[in-house]
Protein backbone atom coordinates (compact mmCIF):
# COMPACT_ATOMS: atom_id res chain seq x y z
CA UNK A 1 0.00 0.00 0.00
CA UNK A 2 1.23 3.46 -0.98
CA UNK A 3 -0.08 6.64 0.61
CA UNK A 4 -0.33 10.39 0.13
CA UNK A 5 -1.26 13.12 2.59
CA UNK A 6 -3.23 16.22 1.58
CA UNK A 7 -3.77 19.08 4.02
CA UNK A 8 -6.58 21.39 2.98
CA UNK A 9 -6.77 25.03 3.99
CA UNK A 10 -5.83 28.40 2.54
CA UNK A 11 -4.46 29.39 5.95
CA UNK A 12 -1.77 26.73 5.51
CA UNK A 13 -0.69 28.14 2.16
CA UNK A 14 -0.56 31.66 3.56
CA UNK A 15 1.58 30.56 6.50
CA UNK A 16 -0.82 31.82 9.15
CA UNK A 17 -1.28 28.26 10.47
CA UNK A 18 1.60 25.84 11.00
CA UNK A 19 1.07 22.52 9.21
CA UNK A 20 2.02 19.84 11.75
CA UNK A 21 -0.32 17.17 10.38
CA UNK A 22 1.97 15.97 7.59
CA UNK A 23 4.76 15.07 9.99
CA UNK A 24 2.44 13.44 12.51
CA UNK A 25 0.59 11.36 9.90
CA UNK A 26 3.83 10.34 8.17
CA UNK A 27 5.27 9.06 11.43
CA UNK A 28 2.11 7.08 12.14
CA UNK A 29 2.07 5.50 8.67
CA UNK A 30 5.78 4.68 8.85
CA UNK A 31 5.20 2.75 12.07
CA UNK A 32 3.15 0.18 10.17
CA UNK A 33 5.17 0.07 6.97
CA UNK A 34 3.05 2.23 4.66
CA UNK A 35 5.34 4.38 2.48
CA UNK A 36 4.32 7.99 1.85
CA UNK A 37 4.77 9.06 -1.76
CA UNK A 38 3.45 12.61 -1.57
CA UNK A 39 2.70 15.47 0.80
CA UNK A 40 0.35 18.11 -0.56
CA UNK A 41 -1.16 21.36 0.67
CA UNK A 42 -4.04 22.94 -1.20
CA UNK A 43 -6.25 25.91 -0.46
CA UNK A 44 -10.02 25.84 -0.10
CA UNK A 45 -10.44 25.54 -3.84
CA UNK A 46 -12.55 22.73 -5.34
CA UNK A 47 -10.85 22.59 -8.72
CA UNK A 48 -7.32 22.47 -7.33
CA UNK A 49 -8.29 19.78 -4.83
CA UNK A 50 -9.74 17.72 -7.71
CA UNK A 51 -6.51 18.15 -9.65
CA UNK A 52 -4.47 16.96 -6.69
CA UNK A 53 -6.69 13.90 -6.20
CA UNK A 54 -6.40 13.04 -9.88
CA UNK A 55 -2.62 13.32 -9.79
CA UNK A 56 -2.05 11.37 -6.57
CA UNK A 57 -4.52 8.57 -7.26
CA UNK A 58 -2.57 7.60 -10.36
CA UNK A 59 0.14 6.31 -8.02
CA UNK A 60 -1.18 5.68 -4.50
CA UNK A 61 -3.87 3.53 -2.93
CA UNK A 62 -4.56 5.60 0.18
CA UNK A 63 -5.01 9.33 0.58
CA UNK A 64 -5.41 10.90 3.99
CA UNK A 65 -6.92 14.39 3.92
CA UNK A 66 -7.19 16.84 6.79
CA UNK A 67 -9.30 19.97 6.97
CA UNK A 68 -12.36 21.22 5.13
CA UNK A 69 -14.98 19.23 7.06
CA UNK A 70 -16.57 22.19 8.85
CA UNK A 71 -19.99 23.79 8.33
CA UNK A 72 -19.03 26.81 6.22
CA UNK A 73 -19.25 27.32 2.45
CA UNK A 74 -15.52 26.85 1.89
CA UNK A 75 -15.44 23.51 3.76
CA UNK A 76 -15.73 21.26 0.72
CA UNK A 77 -13.28 18.39 1.22
CA UNK A 78 -15.95 15.73 1.79
CA UNK A 79 -18.07 16.92 -1.12
CA UNK A 80 -15.15 17.07 -3.57
CA UNK A 81 -13.70 13.69 -2.56
CA UNK A 82 -17.06 11.95 -2.85
CA UNK A 83 -17.74 13.61 -6.20
CA UNK A 84 -14.33 12.53 -7.49
CA UNK A 85 -14.81 8.95 -6.24
CA UNK A 86 -18.41 8.86 -7.53
CA UNK A 87 -19.83 8.10 -4.08
CA UNK A 88 -23.12 9.80 -3.08
CA UNK A 89 -23.54 11.61 0.23
CA UNK A 90 -26.47 10.58 2.42
CA UNK A 91 -28.00 12.30 5.44
CA UNK A 92 -27.40 10.57 8.77
CA UNK A 93 -30.15 11.03 11.33
CA UNK A 94 -27.85 9.61 14.02
CA UNK A 95 -25.27 12.34 13.37
CA UNK A 96 -28.08 14.88 13.32
CA UNK A 97 -29.27 13.85 16.78
CA UNK A 98 -25.71 13.79 18.10
CA UNK A 99 -25.20 17.32 16.80
CA UNK A 100 -28.38 18.53 18.46
CA UNK A 101 -27.28 17.05 21.79
CA UNK A 102 -23.82 18.56 21.44
CA UNK A 103 -25.21 22.06 20.89
CA UNK A 104 -27.48 21.65 23.92
CA UNK A 105 -24.34 21.10 26.00
CA UNK A 106 -22.77 24.24 24.51
CA UNK A 107 -25.48 26.28 26.22
CA UNK A 108 -25.17 29.75 24.68
CA UNK A 109 -24.26 28.54 21.19
CA UNK A 110 -27.09 27.99 18.72
CA UNK A 111 -27.02 25.37 15.98
CA UNK A 112 -27.38 27.13 12.63
CA UNK A 113 -28.67 25.52 9.41
CA UNK A 114 -25.21 25.22 7.87
CA UNK A 115 -24.23 22.76 10.62
CA UNK A 116 -26.42 20.20 8.87
CA UNK A 117 -23.63 19.84 6.27
CA UNK A 118 -21.77 17.81 8.85
CA UNK A 119 -24.58 15.25 9.01
CA UNK A 120 -23.96 14.05 5.45
CA UNK A 121 -21.68 11.03 5.08
CA UNK A 122 -20.47 8.92 2.13
CA UNK A 123 -22.88 6.13 1.29
CA UNK A 124 -21.54 2.89 2.80
CA UNK A 125 -18.64 4.87 4.25
CA UNK A 126 -17.23 4.49 7.74
CA UNK A 127 -17.97 7.32 10.16
CA UNK A 128 -15.16 8.35 12.50
CA UNK A 129 -16.47 9.72 15.79
CA UNK A 130 -15.23 13.14 16.88
CA UNK A 131 -15.80 13.63 20.62
CA UNK A 132 -13.83 16.89 20.51
CA UNK A 133 -15.67 18.70 17.73
CA UNK A 134 -18.77 18.83 15.55
CA UNK A 135 -17.18 17.49 12.33
CA UNK A 136 -17.02 13.68 12.13
CA UNK A 137 -14.33 12.09 10.02
CA UNK A 138 -15.04 9.36 7.49
CA UNK A 139 -13.48 6.65 5.38
CA UNK A 140 -14.64 6.12 1.80
CA UNK A 141 -13.46 3.41 -0.59
CA UNK A 142 -14.12 2.90 -4.28
CA UNK A 143 -12.40 0.89 -7.03
CA UNK A 144 -9.51 -0.18 -4.84
CA UNK A 145 -8.79 3.36 -3.61
CA UNK A 146 -9.37 4.64 -0.09
CA UNK A 147 -9.70 8.17 1.23
CA UNK A 148 -9.64 8.99 4.93
CA UNK A 149 -11.07 12.41 5.78
CA UNK A 150 -10.04 14.05 9.04
CA UNK A 151 -10.91 17.36 10.72
CA UNK A 152 -8.30 20.10 10.69
CA UNK A 153 -7.91 21.10 14.37
CA UNK A 154 -5.09 19.04 15.96
CA UNK A 155 -7.08 18.40 19.15
CA UNK A 156 -9.68 16.66 16.97
CA UNK A 157 -7.43 14.99 14.40
CA UNK A 158 -4.87 13.37 16.71
CA UNK A 159 -7.34 11.46 18.96
CA UNK A 160 -9.31 10.37 15.89
CA UNK A 161 -6.18 8.95 14.25
CA UNK A 162 -4.96 7.26 17.42
CA UNK A 163 -8.30 5.74 18.39
CA UNK A 164 -9.97 4.93 15.07
CA UNK A 165 -7.84 5.51 11.98
CA UNK A 166 -4.63 3.82 13.11
CA UNK A 167 -6.35 0.51 14.04
CA UNK A 168 -8.17 0.57 10.69
CA UNK A 169 -5.12 1.12 8.49
CA UNK A 170 -3.04 -1.29 10.57
CA UNK A 171 -5.27 -4.05 9.20
CA UNK A 172 -4.60 -2.88 5.63
CA UNK A 173 -0.84 -2.65 5.99
CA UNK A 174 1.40 -5.52 4.99
CA UNK A 175 4.75 -5.52 6.73
CA UNK A 176 6.61 -2.96 8.78
CA UNK A 177 9.31 -0.34 8.31
CA UNK A 178 12.27 -0.13 10.67
CA UNK A 179 14.62 2.86 10.59
CA UNK A 180 17.95 3.54 12.25
CA UNK A 181 19.44 7.03 12.40
CA UNK A 182 23.18 7.53 12.61
CA UNK A 183 24.47 10.86 13.96
CA UNK A 184 27.89 12.04 12.78
CA UNK A 185 30.12 15.01 13.54
CA UNK A 186 33.32 16.24 11.84
CA UNK A 187 32.52 15.14 8.28
CA UNK A 188 30.58 17.03 5.61
CA UNK A 189 27.64 15.59 3.69
CA UNK A 190 29.51 15.29 0.37
CA UNK A 191 32.50 13.56 2.00
CA UNK A 192 30.19 11.28 3.95
CA UNK A 193 28.29 10.25 0.83
CA UNK A 194 31.54 9.53 -0.98
CA UNK A 195 32.46 6.97 1.68
CA UNK A 196 29.17 5.09 1.37
CA UNK A 197 28.11 5.87 -2.20
CA UNK A 198 27.82 2.24 -3.31
CA UNK A 199 25.40 1.55 -0.43
CA UNK A 200 23.04 4.40 -1.30
CA UNK A 201 21.76 2.64 -4.43
CA UNK A 202 20.19 -0.22 -2.44
CA UNK A 203 16.43 -0.67 -2.42
CA UNK A 204 15.91 -2.66 0.80
CA UNK A 205 17.33 -1.40 3.02
CA UNK A 206 17.62 2.16 1.76
CA UNK A 207 20.34 4.54 2.93
CA UNK A 208 20.26 8.33 2.75
CA UNK A 209 22.21 11.27 4.16
CA UNK A 210 20.79 14.49 5.62
CA UNK A 211 22.71 17.67 6.36
CA UNK A 212 21.74 19.24 9.68
CA UNK A 213 23.11 22.22 11.55
CA UNK A 214 26.65 21.22 12.53
CA UNK A 215 26.30 17.54 11.68
CA UNK A 216 25.32 14.94 9.11
CA UNK A 217 22.66 12.34 9.84
CA UNK A 218 22.22 9.05 7.99
CA UNK A 219 19.03 7.04 7.86
CA UNK A 220 18.84 3.31 7.13
CA UNK A 221 15.32 1.98 6.53
CA UNK A 222 14.38 -1.66 5.95
CA UNK A 223 10.99 -3.19 5.24
CA UNK A 224 9.89 -6.70 6.08
CA UNK A 225 6.93 -8.85 6.97
CA UNK A 226 7.85 -8.51 10.64
CA UNK A 227 9.95 -6.12 12.68
CA UNK A 228 12.49 -8.91 13.25
CA UNK A 229 12.86 -9.53 9.52
CA UNK A 230 13.34 -5.83 8.83
CA UNK A 231 15.91 -5.57 11.62
CA UNK A 232 17.90 -8.49 10.16
CA UNK A 233 18.06 -6.70 6.81
CA UNK A 234 19.12 -3.46 8.46
CA UNK A 235 21.93 -4.76 10.71
CA UNK A 236 24.53 -5.66 8.01
CA UNK A 237 24.22 -2.22 6.43
CA UNK A 238 24.57 -0.54 9.81
CA UNK A 239 27.74 -2.50 10.52
CA UNK A 240 29.19 -1.62 7.09
CA UNK A 241 28.52 2.08 7.65
CA UNK A 242 30.19 1.85 11.06
CA UNK A 243 33.23 0.19 9.47
CA UNK A 244 33.61 3.01 6.95
CA UNK A 245 32.84 6.17 8.96
CA UNK A 246 32.80 4.93 12.53
CA UNK A 247 35.29 7.57 13.67
CA UNK A 248 32.69 10.27 12.97
CA UNK A 249 29.70 8.61 14.62
CA UNK A 250 28.79 10.09 17.98
CA UNK A 251 25.28 8.68 18.57
CA UNK A 252 22.19 7.00 17.13
CA UNK A 253 18.54 7.94 16.68
CA UNK A 254 17.39 10.77 18.98
CA UNK A 255 20.54 11.28 21.03
CA UNK A 256 21.65 14.90 20.72
CA UNK A 257 25.29 15.98 20.54
CA UNK A 258 25.20 18.15 23.68
CA UNK A 259 23.74 15.28 25.70
CA UNK A 260 26.36 12.80 24.47
CA UNK A 261 29.12 15.32 25.10
Amino acid sequence: MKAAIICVGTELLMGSTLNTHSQYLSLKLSEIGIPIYYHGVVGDNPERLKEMLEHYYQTVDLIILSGGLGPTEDDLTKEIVCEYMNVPLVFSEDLHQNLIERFKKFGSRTMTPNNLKQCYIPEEGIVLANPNGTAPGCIVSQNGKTAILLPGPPNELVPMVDNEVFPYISKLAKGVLVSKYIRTFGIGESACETEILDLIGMTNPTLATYAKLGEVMLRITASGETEEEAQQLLEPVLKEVENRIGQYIYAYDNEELEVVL
Side-chain angles (χ1 to χ4, degrees):
M1 173 167 287
K2 300 175 288 291
I5 296 167
I6 300 177
C7 298
V8 181
T10 302
E11 69 279 8
L12 300 173
L13 290 176
M14 295 179 66
S16 57
T17 299
L18 179 64
N19 179 12
T20 58
H21 293 341
S22 292
Q23 180 188 32
Y24 167 73
L25 292 168
S26 292
L27 289 170
K28 297 296 288 186
L29 291 171
S30 296
E31 287 179 19
I32 52 175
I34 296 180
I36 300 91
Y37 275 36
Y38 305 105
H39 279 181
V41 180
V42 63
D44 301 301
N45 183 287
E47 293 306 316
R48 287 196 283 272
L49 178 54
K50 287 179 187 176
E51 290 172 3
M52 193 170 281
L53 288 168
E54 179 69 35
H55 175 68
Y56 287 177
Y57 265 141
Q58 293 179 25
T59 308
V60 304
D61 318 290
L62 170 68
I63 293 183
I64 300 181
L65 302 99
S66 68
L69 299 184
T72 60
E73 284 293 323
D74 61 351
D75 290 315
L76 293 169
T77 300
K78 179 172 53 182
E79 289 78 3
I80 297 304
V81 170
C82 287
E83 179 184 332
Y84 175 78
M85 299 181 74
N86 197 29
V87 175
L89 286 165
V90 294
F91 188 82
S92 169
E93 187 57 39
D94 288 341
L95 289 179
H96 185 206
Q97 292 304 316
N98 288 339
L99 200 58
I100 292 172
E101 294 301 317
R102 181 176 291 275
F103 271 90
K104 285 180 181 178
K105 293 177 182 178
F106 290 156
S108 60
R109 288 174 57 185
T110 302
M111 187 174 118
T112 53
N114 56 359
N115 283 110
L116 294 178
K117 275 186 62 178
Q118 297 171 313
C119 299
Y120 284 88
I121 58 173
E123 189 174 53
E124 298 183 1
I126 300 172
V127 177
L128 303 173
N130 184 1
N132 301 303
T134 60
C138 59
I139 301 173
V140 54
S141 298
Q142 188 79 326
N143 299 324
K145 306 290 186 179
T146 299
I148 299 178
L149 281 60
L150 304 171
N155 68 309
E156 300 178 27
L157 178 142
V158 172
M160 188 179 292
V161 171
D162 289 344
N163 298 328
E164 299 203 52
V165 176
F166 195 64
Y168 174 84
I169 59 178
S170 294
K171 297 176 183 177
L172 304 179
K174 295 180 180 179
V176 296
L177 292 177
V178 174
S179 292
K180 185 73 173 179
Y181 293 89
I182 304 170
R183 315 290 290 267
T184 71
F185 182 83
I187 185 172
E189 185 180 22
S190 57
C192 182
E193 185 191 64
T194 300
E195 296 294 329
I196 59 171
L197 190 58
D198 59 307
L199 302 177
I200 290 179
M202 299 182 304
T203 56
N204 189 26
T206 59
L207 175 62
T209 61
Y210 302 93
K212 300 186 67 180
L213 183 61
E215 67 174 277
V216 175
M217 186 166 68
L218 292 78
R219 176 189 50 78
I220 308 171
T221 299
S223 62
E225 291 294 322
T226 64
E227 184 173 346
E228 292 75 16
E229 180 183 328
Q231 191 67 45
Q232 288 175 0
L233 291 169
L234 186 151
E235 284 297 332
V237 180
L238 174 61
K239 286 184 169 47
E240 184 60 27
V241 171
E242 291 171 336
N243 289 337
R244 299 189 190 187
I245 60 168
Q247 67 269 36
Y248 302 108
I249 297 173
Y250 73 84
Y252 299 89
D253 297 324
N254 294 320
E255 299 175 89
E256 298 296 337
L257 179 60
E258 60 270 25
V259 176
V260 174
L261 183 60

